[in-house]
Amino acid sequence: MIFLIRTITRALLRRSRGIRIDPSRWTALLAELERRGERRREAGAFLLGTCEGELREVQDVIFYDDLDPEAYSSGVCILHAPAFAALWSMCRARGLTVVGDVHTHPGGAFQSEADRTNPMVAREGHIAIIVPNYATGRPATARIGVYEYRGNHEWADHSGALAHRFLHNDFWSTFL
């Protein structure tokens, strides 16, 4: 019965694709990104979870600097190969996969040329989320950059007014 209710509700709210994260986890993630970036440099994390069709469900978070202590030393997020080996090992141990990544930018939540040409996970369907102003002030979803990797350095932009249909981080995300 609950499965049927969820299916109907998702269909009505069109939440059958994108990425879903519990609102309390989202709030905690933003606060931790702000803290780790010290409001002056980029910080980021991998979003671990499961995939059901085109909908990704975030169940855990691994911060870049937990994988590579030097990840933020240049002021932007850079991870070295051993960090990815550790990430894949954690995914296997937890029975999860990387469904997306999130990192902060100064100013706006645009996708830089470096972001576009160097995806953290170059797998079709991977979602990259960019949070403006180093995650200070808890930005509204419409101000967050949401990009879906299509392969071959091509991205679908789900930012701005489209973000609500792709990034599900609100009250209803708890139930759907």
Side-chain angles (χ1 to χ4, degrees):
M1 180 62 143
I2 290 176
F3 175 77
L4 180 60
I5 292 170
R6 283 185 178 177
T7 301
I8 291 168
T9 306
R10 280 184 189 158
L12 291 172
L13 295 176
R14 295 190 175 133
R15 293 187 172 192
S16 59
R17 82 182 292 258
I19 190 163
R20 183 172 59 215
I21 183 168
D22 182 89
S24 60
R25 185 182 305 262
W26 177 252
T27 301
L29 170 61
L30 293 181
E32 190 61 13
L33 288 172
E34 179 183 12
R35 186 189 73 76
R36 289 176 186 239
E38 300 174 331
R39 295 182 169 198
R40 62 181 173 81
R41 64 177 182 233
E42 292 184 9
F46 288 104
L47 306 173
L48 309 184
T50 58
C51 297
E52 182 181 318
E54 293 187 77
L55 183 64
R56 293 143 188 92
E57 175 87 33
V58 176
Q59 297 174 353
D60 205 353
V61 174
I62 303 289
F63 292 91
Y64 295 166
D65 59 329
D66 287 340
L67 296 167
D68 182 347
E70 298 299 313
Y72 310 145
S73 63
S74 71
V76 297
C77 299
I78 298 174
L79 292 175
H80 299 94
F84 288 96
L87 174 65
W88 305 136
S89 177
M90 289 177 180
C91 285
R92 279 190 303 277
R94 297 173 190 190
L96 301 172
T97 189
V98 176
V99 295
D101 69 85
V102 59
H103 73 275
T104 62
H105 271 190
F110 62 92
Q111 190 178 38
S112 69
E113 182 67 14
D115 294 333
R116 190 185 67 71
T117 58
N118 299 290
M120 281 296 191
V121 177
R123 181 172 46 201
E124 191 172 336
H126 180 80
I127 298 171
I129 300 169
I130 303 172
V131 182
N133 302 317
Y134 299 124
T136 59
R138 308 302 173 262
T141 301
R143 293 191 54 230
I144 293 170
V146 183
Y147 304 90
E148 180 182 16
Y149 191 65
R150 295 304 208 179
N152 199 29
H153 300 288
E154 303 276 328
W155 296 85
D157 186 350
H158 300 284
S159 304
L162 301 173
H164 292 307
R165 291 182 177 232
F166 206 81
L167 174 60
H168 314 298
N169 61 352
D170 58 11
F171 169 78
W172 294 106
S173 301
T174 307
F175 303 104
L176 305 179

